[in-house]
Amino acid sequence: SHEIVDFCNDKNIVFGKNGSGKTSMIEAIFMLTHGRSFRSSDSFIPLYGQDYFSLKGEVGQKDARHTIEQVYSKSKKKKRIRIDNVLLRNSVNLDMLKTVLFVQDDLSLLDGAPDIKRRFLDTLFMQVDKKYYQTLNKYQKILESRNFVLKQDESSQKEKNLEILDQPLVEYGSFLISKRVQYINCLSVLFSRQRKQREIKEHLTLAYGNDILESYSGDKDNDINHIASRFFRILHHNRKKEKLSGFTLFGPHRDNLIFKNERGIEAKEVLSAGEKKKMVLVMKFSEFEFLSQKTGQCPIVLMDDIFIELDDQNTHIFQKWINSLRAQFIITAREKDKFQSIEFKKEISLNGKNL
């Protein structure tokens, strides 16, 4: 299968029947800009029933265009990324474009599981902070090793290995917690401002759910040394509990993003389905502003078939926001009927194509 798609600099409406390849197109763009999928690393493979896939894209402005190419082999479990034909050692340097991704799963961001919220935060923060990306990868590898040791039979060597692994776990984990405090604080301010600008009456705030910190606010909670000392203490006091469970029970891999109303009650307990969706829209506005502020770049907005889940009021709010931004949008939908009010748009049909 071989297809070339050319997008305009404004609003691209990509429509097609189910199975026409709309989500695969969004996934391909995300992979070219992040070096990974928002679903799984090789989700293209089952689609084609082949051993490998190849993606190639031209990105950037007229005076600074770059070619990104990504090849993945399932049998070799190997991924190669090239920029302007130069092989990258890893995808951390793949930061020429920033993206705001909006898929149907995001509509449950308020009441979804903590791992969905962590994935959202990590995808956002990795785009503004290379060290965050590198530290997260290191933390996940140490976490995997530590969980392996926790599952082993009891011995003096097991305890020694845990003590050895505690050091990097706390070092990397404390850095991630510190950064999440800083960035969630910033995101919270943007979220409140966006909510007020749109005159949304539901007063929600963002809170960082972390079992290492005593509370969310306060300068000392952003101090790595303070976080590390608490982290070590909690691991030491809960050693027996972790050995029994066979898992690391404390750390940033257990974090949560909590939406609360002014009475401190979680939003998922009090808001209707329509109100939750409206708040997720506000969250996406905040994400766009966060990326713009932190990087000085205008992100590309990727939306995969989300309008089917929105009522007329929320669709109107979203379309008004789309028209208010001079940014590149790539929006997929089954039909183009809902997009009559979108300005500066290019319509792209996937019906009859083989993506």
Side-chain angles (χ1 to χ4, degrees), residues 226-241:
H226 169 73
I227 296 167
S229 63
R230 282 187 55 77
F231 203 162
F232 270 123
R233 195 158 64 246
I234 287 170
L235 290 177
H236 178 73
H237 288 164
N238 291 278
R239 183 72 94 217
K240 186 175 180 181
K241 188 177 179 182

Side-chain angles (χ1 to χ4, degrees), residues 132-150:
Y132 184 95
Y133 173 93
Q134 293 165 330
T135 307
L136 182 64
N137 281 343
K138 290 176 184 175
Y139 179 84
Q140 288 169 340
K141 287 174 184 174
I142 292 294
L143 180 65
E144 190 177 341
S145 298
R146 193 174 186 275
N147 287 340
F148 177 78
V149 172
L150 282 169

Side-chain angles (χ1 to χ4, degrees), residues 305-350:
D305 217 7
I306 62 156
F307 285 95
I308 196 170
E309 289 290 332
L310 298 177
D311 57 25
D312 290 341
Q313 183 189 15
N314 284 331
T315 298
H316 175 72
I317 291 171
F318 220 137
Q319 291 189 349
K320 193 174 177 182
W321 175 62
I322 291 170
N323 283 333
S324 72
L325 292 177
R326 293 311 302 266
Q328 187 176 40
F329 282 75
I330 299 170
I331 306 166
T332 69
R334 296 179 195 179
E335 298 173 349
K336 58 181 178 180
D337 297 351
K338 280 196 172 185
F339 299 93
Q340 301 305 319
S341 62
I342 300 293
E343 301 165 357
F344 308 109
K345 63 178 178 284
K346 176 180 180 179
E347 295 179 352
I348 301 168
S349 174
L350 294 188

